[in-house]
Amino acid sequence: QVQLVESGGGSVQPGGSLRLSCAVSGSRFSINTMGWYRQAPGKQRELVAGISSGGDTNYAHSVKGRFTISRDNAKNTVVLLMDSLKPEDTAVYYCNAAIYRLNNLNTFWGQGTQVTVSS
């Protein structure tokens, strides 16, 4: 069994910063890509940032230059640093990982964590 557990999030004023962390636990697995998605009320879930096993990153245009994704392969964790937050960043943020286990590649999701940017 593989689980993704998120931490961080919360409420912050515009211009503030937050840090989201996600840890993957389980046995007999290897992680391919990792990423963060978000879903605002009434909107579809969208990719915020992704990172490959080799460290290549990609970002949504709306967060480029403000958010930074990183991962620690030894600890099976991925972190999203969010700076210069805007009200439009308000959403539930989900950790995502493509994981090899028992010769199968599957996608796993965290439970989601709320980020609210408001004055």
Side-chain angles (χ1 to χ4, degrees), residues 17-39:
S17 299
L18 284 174
R19 179 181 186 272
L20 304 182
S21 181
C22 175
V24 182
S25 64
S27 62
R28 303 181 189 176
F29 67 90
S30 62
I31 304 172
N32 190 358
T33 58
M34 304 184 81
W36 290 92
Y37 286 71
R38 68 186 180 188
Q39 188 167 19

Side-chain angles (χ1 to χ4, degrees), residues 36-109:
W36 290 92
Y37 286 71
R38 68 186 180 188
Q39 188 167 19
K43 294 188 177 181
Q44 289 188 332
R45 190 173 296 190
E46 62 174 358
L47 174 67
V48 176
I51 185 166
S52 70
S53 57
D56 294 327
T57 59
N58 63 290
Y59 296 92
H61 179 74
S62 59
V63 307
K64 200 171 291 185
R66 300 188 297 121
F67 291 11
T68 303
I69 188 171
S70 62
R71 64 188 283 175
D72 185 327
N73 291 331
K75 296 181 179 179
N76 294 326
T77 58
V78 61
V79 170
L80 185 68
L81 295 175
M82 304 184 292
D83 295 320
S84 302
L85 282 160
K86 304 176 181 180
E88 51 263 44
D89 294 318
T90 295
V92 178
Y93 284 69
Y94 297 90
C95 176
N96 168 278
I99 294 175
Y100 287 102
R101 187 172 182 270
L102 302 176
N103 296 320
N104 292 317
L105 179 64
N106 291 299
T107 298
F108 292 84
W109 294 90

